[in-house]
Amino acid sequence: MLRLHRWITLVFALPLLGIIVSGLVLSIEPLAQRQAPAAPLTEARLLDFLDRHDPDGKATGLSVRTYDQLVRLSGVGEDGTVDVGLASGEEVETEGFAEWFGWARGLHERLLLDLGWLVTASTVAMIALAVLGVAMGWPRLRNTLGGWHAGMAWLTLPLAVLSPLTGLFIVMGVGTGGAPAGPRGERVPIRAAVSAIARDHDLAGLTSLRMRGGRLVARIYEGSRLSTYVVTREGLQPAPTNWSRALHEGNWHALLGTTFNTLLSLVLVGLWGTGLVIWARRRFRKRRPRARQSARAAASG
């Protein structure tokens, strides 16, 4: 089992590093999104943005990025998107934190090369590594590299299993809560959607309005929890809670979710690094005596 544990780590070392590091970057996004915007985000202000930058009503969605202090309108402009500064209301061109988060999400979900199957295989490998670690028995907690490796793994075992398991559930469609309410393919203008949301919610908590599964879906922070609603002509319909995604992304609570995911990502980086160092030490330690014996044999001959 120890040998299998090592070989799985070696085979999936690089994709696992990409997934873990990108997960570390993405873990801070929920907390970054909850920072206060530079200017109040009200219904009148959002509608003014739409009037100025989408007078023909062609927008298909929008996203609010408080960490970059802008609103991105989708489906408009020459490039298909227009970024509007929250403070000025004017179109802006800037590469902010959203570019980093977008890069990290592409690495986390596709390894930047449309290799979703490799991400899934690496996720299964991570679960297998945890299962093998448990099967090998209780660790010997010593002040050595191996002792720290085993101690970190056992101390964070529930989270270390929960993270890849919920990622696998997202791919498999498990824990989504079923199909959301509302008719598919209903074209609700973004202006009407903004007004519908403003009737019952503070627009300062709005993160996105976009088409998903043929429905216009709004994601809104209510306190520290990110909730999802389907926007229809009659109003907002609560969507079933996708527990797999909420637990995996930390959206169940902005501060606590960010804290848990950040600490877990740091621990996984530590396990990845210490595991490879332990393997390298043992590997090259075995070769040194052989090299010395060969040198002595050659000298005596």
Side-chain angles (χ1 to χ4, degrees), residues 35-39 65-71 84-88 92:
Q35 70 177 17
R65 295 172 175 172
T66 55
Y67 43 76
D68 284 332
Q69 302 298 316
L70 61 82
V71 173
V84 182
L86 280 174
S88 65
V92 296

Side-chain angles (χ1 to χ4, degrees), residues 38-39 55 69 71 73 97 107 133 136 144 151 153 187 217 219-220 230 252 260 288 294:
Q69 302 298 316
V71 173
L73 304 179
F97 290 107
L107 180 61
M136 285 187 288
T144 63
R187 177 71 168 87
V217 175
R219 304 188 79 187
I220 307 168
V230 177
W252 53 277
F260 283 137
R288 285 173 187 169
S294 300

Side-chain angles (χ1 to χ4, degrees), residues 130 149-163 263-264 267-268 271:
H149 181 86
M152 284 192 299
W154 276 91
L155 184 63
T156 60
L157 181 62
L159 291 177
V161 173
L162 182 64
S163 180
L263 292 176
L264 176 60
V267 168
L268 291 177
L271 290 174

Side-chain angles (χ1 to χ4, degrees), residues 160-173:
V161 173
L162 182 64
S163 180
L165 190 61
T166 52
L168 192 61
F169 284 170
I170 292 173
V171 175
M172 298 170 59

Side-chain angles (χ1 to χ4, degrees), residues 59 61 74 86 91 105 110 124 158 208 218 229 276 297-298:
S74 303
L86 280 174
E91 183 176 352
R105 192 170 301 281
R110 302 180 303 278
V124 174
S208 66
Y229 293 88
L276 288 181

Side-chain angles (χ1 to χ4, degrees), residues 81-201:
T81 59
V82 171
D83 291 338
V84 182
L86 280 174
S88 65
E90 302 293 336
E91 183 176 352
V92 296
E93 294 184 6
T94 178
E95 293 186 2
F97 290 107
E99 304 300 327
W100 287 97
F101 288 135
W103 174 85
R105 192 170 301 281
L107 180 61
H108 196 73
E109 297 177 353
R110 302 180 303 278
L111 292 175
L112 299 178
L113 297 172
D114 199 19
L115 296 176
W117 62 270
L118 183 55
V119 173
T120 302
S122 301
T123 303
V124 174
M126 194 180 299
I127 297 174
L129 290 173
V131 173
L132 286 169
V134 172
M136 285 187 288
W138 290 100
R140 296 179 181 178
L141 300 180
R142 297 170 295 183
N143 191 22
T144 63
L145 194 62
W148 279 99
H149 181 86
M152 284 192 299
W154 276 91
L155 184 63
T156 60
L157 181 62
L159 291 177
V161 173
L162 182 64
S163 180
L165 190 61
T166 52
L168 192 61
F169 284 170
I170 292 173
V171 175
M172 298 170 59
V174 177
T176 61
R184 292 171 59 91
E186 184 179 22
R187 177 71 168 87
V188 180
I190 296 300
R191 287 182 57 88
V194 168
S195 298
I197 296 170
R199 283 197 294 268
D200 301 313
H201 299 275

